[in-house]
Structures are given as structure tokens and as C-alpha cells.
Amino acid sequence: MALPTSIESLLQSEVIEDALYRDEGLCVLGIFGKSAMQAGPPKESLINTLADKHIFPLFDGLQPTHVDDGGSLIQAYYSQENRVLYLVLTSVCDNRQLLRACESLSAGVGHSDAHEFWKGADKQHCLHLLYLFSLCHVLLLVHPNCTFDVTYDRLFRALDALRQKVLPLIRAAIKDCQVSKEWKVNCRPCPPRLLFVFQMNGALKVSGGNGMESGNPDKPKKHSPRRRLQHALEDQIYRIFRKSRVLTNQSSNCLFTVPANQAFVYVVPGPDEDPVGALLGHLRSNCTLHEQDSNTSISGPRRYQQMRRSARQPYFSLDSSGMSIVGQLVDCSLKEFLWQHVELVLTKKGFDDSVGRNPQPSHFELPTYSKWAQVACRIHQVIINNTEEETAELAIKVQSQLKVLEGFLDADAKFSENRCQKALPLAHSAYQSNLPHNYTTTVHKNQLAQALRVYSQHARGVAFQRYALQLHEDCYKFWSNGHQLCEERSLTDQHCVHKFHLLPQPGEKPEMDRNPPFLNHNSRGRSTSSCNCGRKQAPREDPFDIQSANYDFYQILEEKCCGKLERIEFPVFQPSTPDPAPACNEAARPPSETSGPGEGEKLKDATAAPSSMAHSHTLGDSTSLSLALSLGQSTDSLGPYGDGDGSEGQVQHKRPSLVDRQPSTVEYLPGMLHSGCPKGLLPKFSSWSLVKLGPAKSYNCHTGLEQPGFLPGSSFLLPWDLVIRSRSEEDMGLAEPLDGGPSSWPAPNKALVGKRGSTGGLGRSRRRDDVARVFVGFEYEDSRGRRFLSSGPDKIVKVLGPGGAKEPATRVLNTDMPLYIPSPAQGRGLKPHYAQLTRLFIVVPDAPLEITLNPQVQLGPPPSPLFHPEQTELVLPPDGLWVLRFPYSYVTDRGPCYPPKENQPLTNYKVLRGILRATTGSPPPQ
């Protein structure tokens, strides 16, 4: 073989052997180790020295073509004349392969991924070493300095443990090979002998070259400093390996052996200061004719024996290291040091390296190249690279045994695991500190973040992420094992106080003993609320669903109070099938998504209409006369958008209803009805209520509402005086808009009744029955049951003397009334209490007057939806005290609308103006 090649190419190709050497055995010499950051390849250059040929390049070396993922490569060179097969292992321990491995790592690789890469490279390096230890007779360990690396002790112990694990698999792979039984049992031709080659560095240079100490010049040393260093290294290595039991008395049980009576350490001298002189010296030594050289030609067997001896004859260099000094032994060359061990192999003497009282001889076999190649190919398929199906299963099993290497080689991971295991209890303590028995997800995440901070202060290394995930799992298991609080929040934004539980089915009783228990939600929050009509108060639990908040509680009180009162029922879902289904959430989209461009504009105009209606149909002055009446215009049917112009008022139309088609009888609306709901869907129950307490005369303006819970002086409704047609005007067919806007001006030559000298009353020439008085009251109620009526967005009705409320209702009808206002009776705590708009009282007189009810509630800034009852533009019958009960809670398809927090503005929660609108009607028949 003229050039070195990879082991894969060597085993796949057919080596043409000389007939003289075909039947002779060969010695397999393996070379491995580390190399320093220098230009020349030190391991490959040793083969150049041993073979006396320029086989490997001095600077670049062989370019690897079969490098595996770990960066390991075995190069082979077969010297047939010397009967030696050289196997050189190049791995990440060498500078060239280390640079290639670093280049293969991308810049964004994390610490853990990089550690996995290097750990994989170490495993591949160990597999290639095991391959060499299974096939070589002699192994040469090359080290770039003259200090023994104690990490080899751990490496060899890991290799020995791995070899014991994979021995049955290698036996199964080579059972059909034509080798001896001992080789098949021990899976190697012999226990390999390990030799050490160290590189001399500049720290051990001897000045003068005489080898004599300056203290006693008369007593020269027997050995040179280099040989004394070799002896010291031999003693150190032997003690280390014997103490760690890498070497034992019986060589057949060891991974390798060292000779007992021969040198097994060689220190290569350092480079001379004059490299040109050194090269000239090597040239002279190689060109010198030795005495045994003869020009006579010899033929036959004697010629072969002489050629073999001459090829194996070591050549000694003529440098200063090989010269004899007075009283000192001559240092041998590297080839002479190595060839004494190779000769034992080629002469079939073998190695007898067992020691002790009863040394057992070890097996030895000198195979031919063909037999060795057969075994090497099988072991290569199992250990390094599998390409055959018959050995695929064995190769997979070998890879599964690599876990035994982690305990020996991965010292970083072992240190990291020890640190992380010590940090875990500290992190668990930080997580469980100051924890209640049951807590929510937010508390769990906060405590987990604190535990991770403590963990990151103590944990280090590659196991950080794995134990951090374990900390996540441990904390979650602790939380979910009886410490998890129910995550459900009530409609008032209060947490359920129970631990994690399931809801009982309708009709079932709660069961505390089950795991998880069957319980109803409870936030331990209680409040006091009034019934639909407001005449009875009762405590209520904090609701968790819209039905219990807006329907069930009031149904219970209806049986005790207002069940027999006259009421106006709002339309609800009427099923036509026994199992109706709720409408899909996808259908409940904003109007801009559910309708086309034309319908969106119409709906936009419809939502903007209440403000104009409220402006045009609420009276600015309770006793002002209509300009239309004075000008003789006919305004029998005033439009909601009228501004005093009769022609415009006649072309206006009412606000389009959101439910324009027949309601569905198959699907129902799961939540509350609002402007974003699809058309044609109704809820199963109404969250609104409209009842009649009695006739209009049942309200006494001097005493106010006689119901419980009202603050003193705050139960008086606000008057709303509306001008209706007189008898003389009925014949003329005139009417007047009753909106109190700019069109309501006094007629010419008519004085208004009121205070003397003022224009705020009716004219004396008009009769008293031309004015109808409506009473309106916006009632607020807080969680403690304290109730009061409001005369404006920031004002509470307070009547101290007799006569009732003096302020007109135009202010509350012309403005957006807040849904929440601060309660006038705050508690001792810092948290403010809010009172919520719960009822609207309307006293409709027995007069030719139509009062249209159209409530709209907005919770949040636009484009938040507008909540409204299931029937809009509702005309209240005359002669009655009507009570509109607002919902207790508001829910959309996206979830509940919680009450405002302390830092949220209350102006976004409001009832839009235009809730009441008055129009004149035909007089009742006489």
C-alpha cells in the first residue's frame, strides 16, 4: 500500500499482497492520543519515522473523507515488507478535527445543545478506541507534552466497562469468522500492550549536555535526564493504573497491559535550535553505508531473510541525543523502542504481562491479513458504521449500551446534576413559602417565578434546563394535588373560595366526599337586593351565571311579593323541539361583520338615533308652549327626529328593530340580548322586568315611594310636566311636540302660568287640564341594600320638607345617566362602594299621552355593544305606576362585563339618553 487510506476503504477494497508475505502473520499497531496546537501532525509523523518513508504530509495531513458526526477517523497504512498494519485514530482530541467540529457548530447553538454535540463526539471517540483495542496487538498513546494526563484513567475505566457490556454482541458478530476459539471468546487477538510516547517541551532542556549535576561534578549520572524522566513516568503511570484497577495481576482480564520488564514510555526529544543542521544530520544518517551492506547478490530464502532483517534493522540518528557520554547509557531511538515490542508479535512469542504468584498465560494469535480483515469488517459493522441488515440489530444494541459511558466521561453533567439536585429543595421551599392552602393560577405563577429565581441562583451547568422543567412539574403537582383553587369568577369579579371541584348536575345534591367534590360555586360574597317591584328586600349570594343573577333570584321573590302584579312580558325563546341547542358563538359577531355595507350604515344610524330622539322629545321647560301650536301646524304624529319642522317630522321613521324576522324556535341565545347579537335569536329568559305597582294615583308626591332601603328624603320621583291638547284645540286638530327642545316656544300674546312675572307656567286663559304630569325616578342600589333616587348624573334627590321634589325630570332625561355611581354611604375600608342603577319608576297619568320606553345600556367605550330588552320602543299603558328593573349583571358572548374597578372611569358605564319619549295621542272616548 503506497498511500494511507481510511479504514472503511481498506476493508471494502481487496489488498493485493505479495506472495512472499501472504501466509505470514501481521502485527497491528494502533496510534491514538492528543495533539497540541501546532502545524505538523505529530501522530502521522511518527509513522514516517517508523517506516523510514514520507507517507503522511508534514503539515496538512490526509484530508478526511469518511469523518463521522463525532469527528473521528481511523486512517490505515499497511507496510507489507515490515508486516505491520498502522491504524491512526484522529478525533476531536486533535487540533485539526477540533477546528472542524467548532466550524460545524452554528453561532446560535445554546449551551445545552453544544454540550450534547461534544458528548456525542466523546462517545464516538470511545467507540473508535474500543475498535482499536479489539483489533490491535500494540497500541501507542501519543501525548503532546511530558506530563501524564490523568483523565486517561477515567477514559480507560469507561472503555473497560463498555467492553464488558458489548462483549456478547461482538461474540455474536464474529462467531462465523475463521479465527481461533480464544479470539472468538475474548473478542481480540491478544490483550494489547499499551505504550506511551510523550513530546519533550522546552522546560526540560539540559545545559552543557554532560548530564552531570553542578553540586557533585565528580559523580556522573548513569542515565540521561530524558531516560530518568521516562522511568519516573513509568512508575507514575503504573501506580495510577494499579490503584484504579485498570491494571490487575491477570492480563487477560484487563483492557490492556504494560510490560513488566521492558520500557513502555518513550519521550521524544524536542526540536533542535538549528533545524537546518538537524535535517542535514538526518540526511547523512540515511545515506551512510553500513558495514553489513554488501554488493553481492543473494538469491533464494537467504535473500528474503536478509531483506527482512535489513528492513527491521533500526537506524540510529547521529544527533546529540544518541551519542555516548562517559558513564551514561546511550538513549535508544523511537523505532528501536517500538520495534522490541513488534518483534515479540512477529516472532509469535506474545506478551507475558501477568504478574503475581500464579500468573495465568494470556492467549495470543498472529493472524494473516485476510483473517484479520474479516474480523475487522464484522466488528466495524457492529461498533462504528452499520451497512448490513444481518448486523443491524447488534449495532442498535451496541448504541444502547453507550449510557455506561456517561458516568465516567461526562464530568460536567455529573457536577451540574449534583448542583441542580441541591438547588431543587431550596426552590421547593421558596415556592411553598407563605402559601395559602388553596390558591389560584396567578398565585401559582408568582410563586413559581420566585422558585425559579432561587433555583437559578444555585443551579449551574447543562442540567439546568432539565431540572428547571422538573421544578415546573413538581410545583404543578403540588398545586394540583389538593391545593388548586377554583378558577371560576363570579359576575362581580370575585373568586370561588372552594378548591377545585365539579358542578353538580341539575337536581343532584352537592357531595363533599368525592374527589374532586361536587359543589356549587361560592365566593362568600353576599349582598342585599330588592325584588322586581322594589317592595321587598332579601339577601342574595354572589351569582356565577347570568340566570341566577338576572332571573332566579327575582323569581324566588316574586312568589312572596310581586307575583300577582300586572306586568308586560318580554318575548323569550319558545322551543319547537324537545332538545333546543344554543346558537354558535361564531354567529354572535359585531354588526359590522354580520351585515353588509348597507346594513351596517343603517344600523349605525339606528344606534345614533336615540340621542336625537332624546333631544327632540324631552321637554326643556315644563310649561313652555309649542311653536308649532302657535303657528297652526298640524303635528298629530310627531316623528322621533323632529326639530320643530312639521315637514321633516312627517318623513321620519322609528328606530329599526334588531329582531326583524321571526325568532328561531330551534336555537336560542345563550347570553343576553345586545346590539351585537344576530337577528332572530332570543334568550330562554329575560334579564329585564316591567311590572305595574298600581294606578297612577298610588304614588303620592308628598310622601314618595314607601319602600324599604331608601335613604331619608331620597325616595321622591321627579316631575315631568307635558303639555297636551285642550278641548278647544281638539276641534282645530292641533298638537304640539313635547320634547322641550328649541321648538317649544310660548305662543304669541299668551302668558304662561307660573311665578308672577315669569314665563315658566301656563297662561291664565288656559285650563289646568291641558298639562299632564309624569313622574320619573332613576333608582340606585348598593350591595348593602341602600337605595336612593338620582336627580342627575352626580346628584341625589333630597327632599327635606313637604311638597315632594321640585326639580324637573328634564335633566335626567336629557343626559346619559351613569350605570354606577359612588354610594353616598361609604364603609370604613379604603375600597369604594358603588351603587348600581337597578330600577326606573314611571308614573303614567290617565291622559291622552303616549310614553315610549326604550332603554339602552352601554358598558365601556365604543364600539362596545348596547344592551336592551327583548322588545324595544315599548309604549306604556296609561294610568299606572310602572317599574322597569334593569339587569343585575351584563354578559356578552365573550364573557361577563364586570363592574368597574377603582382606577376605571365610571363615565364609560351609562344608560343612554332617550330612555323615555312622550307623544300626544287621541283623547279617550267620552
Side-chain angles (χ1 to χ4, degrees):
M1 181 183 292
L3 294 175
T5 182
S6 64
I7 187 65
E8 292 87 355
S9 302
L10 177 67
L11 297 177
Q12 293 173 3
S13 62
E14 295 182 2
V15 178
I16 301 176
E17 293 187 277
D18 194 342
L20 296 175
Y21 314 126
R22 186 177 301 164
D23 296 330
E24 288 197 17
L26 81 159
C27 174
V28 184
L29 175 63
I31 302 176
F32 68 98
K34 300 179 180 180
S35 62
M37 297 299 295
Q38 55 191 11
K43 290 186 293 186
E44 290 82 354
S45 62
L46 293 179
I47 299 180
N48 296 343
T49 304
L50 296 175
D52 292 327
K53 293 181 180 180
H54 184 70
I55 301 170
F56 288 93
L58 293 179
F59 297 101
D60 196 18
L62 183 65
Q63 291 295 332
T65 57
H66 295 82
V67 181
D68 58 8
D69 295 336
S72 298
L73 170 70
I74 296 179
Q75 303 174 62
Y77 175 74
Y78 183 21
S79 178
Q80 294 191 32
E81 62 273 12
N82 290 331
R83 305 305 298 157
V84 178
L85 176 62
Y86 299 96
L87 300 179
V88 184
L89 173 61
T90 304
S91 66
V92 291
C93 298
D94 300 278
N95 52 0
R96 291 174 298 161
Q97 294 302 108
L98 181 62
L99 290 176
R100 291 189 180 98
C102 292
E103 290 175 356
S104 65
L105 285 175
S106 60
V109 175
H111 180 61
S112 179
D113 296 336
H115 179 265
E116 290 295 328
F117 175 81
W118 295 119
K119 188 168 67 173
D122 288 341
K123 289 181 179 179
Q124 293 299 320
H125 177 57
C126 289
L127 286 176
H128 285 76
L129 279 180
L130 181 62
Y131 183 75
L132 293 183
F133 277 89
S134 302
L135 293 172
C136 296
H137 297 92
V138 180
L139 287 164
L140 203 62
L141 190 154
V142 182
H143 201 63
N145 55 38
C146 54
T147 304
F148 177 66
D149 190 355
V150 293
T151 59
Y152 279 113
D153 176 67
R154 187 173 69 248
L155 175 63
F156 292 148
R157 284 189 286 117
L159 280 178
D160 193 16
L162 178 62
R163 179 176 175 272
Q164 298 300 326
K165 291 284 186 181
V166 302
L167 268 181
L169 304 176
I170 300 178
R171 289 194 190 106
I174 65 174
K175 63 181 180 179
D176 298 332
C177 297
Q178 297 177 1
V179 293
S180 64
K181 182 180 179 181
E182 288 80 9
W183 192 341
K184 293 180 181 180
V185 171
N186 296 279
C187 300
R188 56 186 180 181
C190 69
R193 177 173 283 186
L194 183 63
L195 307 178
F196 298 85
V197 175
F198 294 92
Q199 304 284 336
M200 178 72 77
N201 51 17
L204 293 174
K205 287 186 178 180
V206 181
S207 60
N210 55 3
M212 295 183 296
E213 295 180 356
S214 59
N216 191 4
D218 298 332
K219 185 180 179 181
K221 292 291 183 181
K222 183 179 180 181
H223 302 289
S224 65
R226 188 158 61 92
R227 176 164 291 195
R228 293 200 302 270
L229 175 62
Q230 292 173 172
H231 292 169
L233 287 173
E234 287 180 356
D235 295 340
Q236 181 187 26
I237 292 172
Y238 188 77
R239 284 196 305 267
I240 290 174
F241 288 158
R242 287 288 293 187
K243 193 165 186 178
S244 62
R245 299 194 61 81
V246 174
L247 293 176
T248 59
N249 291 340
Q250 303 301 327
S251 60
S252 60
N253 299 330
C254 300
L255 178 68
F256 60 87
T257 64
V258 293
N261 299 318
Q262 288 178 285
F264 60 90
V265 173
Y266 184 81
V267 178
V268 178
D272 295 332
E273 296 181 359
D274 185 9
V276 177
L279 291 175
L280 291 176
H282 282 292
L283 183 62
R284 293 190 193 99
S285 64
N286 291 330
C287 296
T288 302
L289 294 176
H290 296 275
E291 295 179 359
Q292 64 269 23
D293 293 342
S294 177
N295 293 328
T296 60
S297 60
I298 304 175
S299 62
R302 291 188 58 194
R303 177 178 176 274
Y304 166 70
Q305 296 291 340
Q306 184 175 356
M307 288 175 59
R308 181 175 176 181
R309 273 198 304 272
S310 62
R312 296 173 185 173
Q313 181 73 27
Y315 297 99
F316 299 96
S317 60
L318 299 177
D319 55 0
S320 60
S321 62
M323 294 183 180
S324 175
I325 302 177
V326 179
Q328 287 188 355
L329 297 177
V330 179
D331 293 335
C332 63
S333 65
L334 174 62
K335 187 171 184 178
E336 182 182 9
F337 161 77
L338 180 61
W339 222 258
Q340 59 181 332
H341 304 282
V342 175
E343 285 290 343
L344 293 177
V345 177
L346 294 177
T347 57
K348 299 183 181 181
K349 293 181 180 180
F351 305 133
D352 188 13
D353 295 334
S354 298
V355 295
R357 296 182 179 179
N358 299 312
Q360 298 293 329
S362 59
H363 71 284
F364 177 83
E365 184 171 349
L366 185 66
T368 61
Y369 175 78
S370 59
K371 292 182 179 181
W372 179 89
Q374 184 184 13
V375 177
C377 184
R378 290 294 185 88
I379 299 179
H380 189 274
Q381 291 288 334
V382 174
I383 293 182
I384 297 181
N385 185 18
N386 177 63
T387 57
E388 298 181 1
E389 295 182 359
E390 57 182 9
T391 58
E393 184 178 356
L394 295 176
I396 295 175
K397 292 181 179 179
V398 169
Q399 294 295 326
S400 64
Q401 299 296 332
L402 293 180
K403 293 181 180 179
V404 72
L405 298 175
E406 297 180 359
F408 293 96
L409 300 181
D410 205 355
D412 294 341
K414 184 179 291 186
F415 166 78
S416 178
E417 287 192 0
N418 291 336
R419 287 300 310 161
C420 294
Q421 288 174 359
K422 290 183 179 180
L424 270 185
L426 301 176
H428 289 158
S429 301
Y431 175 80
Q432 299 177 15
S433 62
N434 301 325
L435 269 182
H437 188 269
N438 300 105
Y439 48 96
T440 61
T441 304
T442 304
V443 178
H444 165 70
K445 291 181 179 180
N446 293 338
Q447 292 296 112
L448 181 60
Q450 177 64 22
L452 288 175
R453 280 193 292 268
V454 174
Y455 171 78
S456 60
Q457 291 174 358
H458 299 275
R460 294 293 183 273
V462 296
F464 181 93
Q465 190 68 21
R466 178 159 55 90
Y467 280 90
L469 294 177
Q470 181 179 344
L471 177 61
H472 272 269
E473 295 176 0
D474 294 344
C475 294
Y476 179 78
K477 288 179 181 178
F478 177 83
W479 175 49
S480 59
N481 189 17
H483 298 278
Q484 188 174 1
L485 190 66
C486 178
E487 295 293 326
E488 192 69 21
R489 303 178 76 91
S490 69
L491 298 182
T492 59
D493 204 14
Q494 301 295 326
H495 269 291
C496 177
V497 298
H498 293 311
K499 63 180 183 179
F500 180 77
H501 63 95
L502 300 177
L503 291 176
Q505 296 295 329
E508 294 184 358
K509 294 183 179 180
E511 299 183 22
M512 292 285 297
D513 300 333
R514 299 186 61 175
N515 188 20
F518 283 77
L519 295 172
N520 292 314
H521 294 301
N522 186 9
S523 65
R524 293 180 183 171
R526 294 175 66 88
S527 60
T528 302
S529 295
S530 304
C531 62
N532 287 329
C533 64
R535 295 182 300 178
K536 187 174 182 61
Q537 286 186 317
R540 66 180 303 169
E541 300 290 339
D542 196 8
F544 281 82
D545 60 273
I546 193 64
Q547 183 172 351
S548 61
N550 296 339
Y551 186 75
D552 291 345
F553 171 76
Y554 299 103
Q555 286 296 112
I556 296 174
L557 292 183
E558 269 199 2
E559 300 176 359
K560 304 177 182 179
C561 178
C562 45
K564 298 181 181 181
L565 294 179
E566 181 183 349
R567 67 186 63 241
I568 296 178
E569 298 287 351
F570 291 106
V572 294
F573 172 72
Q574 300 296 334
S576 61
T577 58
D579 51 350
C584 298
N585 291 333
E586 297 178 358
R589 294 178 295 175
S592 59
E593 301 179 11
T594 58
S595 59
E599 294 181 357
E601 295 295 331
K602 293 178 183 179
L603 191 58
K604 182 178 179 182
D605 296 339
T607 54
S611 61
S612 61
M613 284 189 284
H615 178 73
S616 59
H617 286 282
T618 50
L619 216 52
D621 193 347
S622 60
T623 58
S624 63
L625 294 178
S626 172
L627 181 61
L629 182 64
S630 63
L631 296 178
Q633 296 176 349
S634 176
T635 55
D636 291 336
S637 178
L638 294 178
Y641 307 100
D643 56 354
D645 191 351
S647 60
E648 289 189 19
Q650 293 175 1
V651 298
Q652 296 296 332
H653 302 282
K654 292 187 177 181
R655 176 184 181 273
S657 176
L658 290 177
V659 185
D660 290 335
R661 62 185 178 90
Q662 188 68 21
S664 173
T665 58
V666 180
E667 290 183 335
Y668 62 88
L669 188 66
M672 295 177 60
L673 192 63
H674 56 81
S675 58
C677 293
K679 299 179 180 180
L681 293 179
L682 291 175
K684 300 178 74 173
F685 58 90
S686 178
S687 299
W688 306 73
S689 173
L690 183 59
V691 297
K692 181 180 179 181
L693 274 177
K697 62 181 181 180
S698 61
Y699 172 72
N700 188 349
C701 62
H702 300 283
T703 59
L705 295 174
E706 296 179 352
Q707 292 184 357
F710 276 99
L711 298 179
S714 64
S715 61
F716 293 88
L717 304 181
L718 303 179
W720 183 24
D721 291 337
L722 301 175
V723 178
I724 61 175
R725 291 178 298 176
S726 63
R727 293 183 182 270
S728 59
E729 293 167 342
E730 290 175 7
D731 301 332
M732 299 171 61
L734 298 180
E736 55 182 329
L738 305 176
D739 54 1
S743 63
S744 301
W745 292 92
N749 302 323
K750 289 188 179 180
L752 298 180
V753 177
K755 293 184 179 180
R756 190 175 300 270
S758 68
T759 61
L762 290 173
R764 294 188 179 182
S765 62
R766 301 177 60 89
R767 294 177 302 184
R768 305 289 291 181
D769 58 354
D770 292 338
V771 175
R773 173 163 289 186
V774 180
F775 290 93
V776 180
F778 286 85
E779 180 207 332
Y780 290 83
E781 185 177 16
D782 63 7
S783 59
R784 299 179 184 179
R786 290 172 293 207
R787 306 163 64 186
F788 56 90
L789 295 177
S790 176
S791 59
D794 53 355
K795 189 175 182 182
I796 301 174
V797 174
K798 285 188 178 181
V799 177
L800 302 179
K806 305 298 183 183
E807 301 180 37
T810 53
R811 183 184 180 189
V812 295
L813 295 177
N814 282 331
T815 57
D816 295 336
M817 290 298 291
L819 189 62
Y820 298 95
I821 62 175
S823 177
Q826 296 289 332
R828 298 181 179 179
L830 299 177
K831 185 177 180 180
H833 290 279
Y834 292 123
Q836 180 180 349
L837 179 61
T838 54
R839 286 168 197 84
L840 173 64
F841 291 90
I842 313 108
V843 178
V844 182
D846 186 8
L849 189 67
E850 286 186 0
I851 303 296
T852 304
L853 180 64
N854 185 28
Q856 294 189 36
V857 180
Q858 182 178 356
L859 287 86
S864 59
L866 299 178
F867 292 89
H868 55 82
E870 291 76 14
Q871 181 179 353
T872 57
E873 302 290 340
L874 183 63
V875 178
L876 298 179
D879 192 19
L881 173 56
W882 294 94
V883 182
L884 174 68
R885 193 258 306 161
F886 286 81
Y888 182 80
S889 299
Y890 298 86
V891 176
T892 64
D893 53 334
R894 298 182 180 180
C897 300
Y898 295 119
K901 303 294 183 181
E902 300 179 18
N903 55 350
Q904 291 179 339
L906 301 180
T907 55
N908 293 330
Y909 302 81
K910 56 189 175 182
V911 178
L912 300 184
R913 67 184 71 180
I915 189 172
L916 291 177
R917 189 174 72 252
T919 56
T920 58
S922 300
Q926 299 294 330

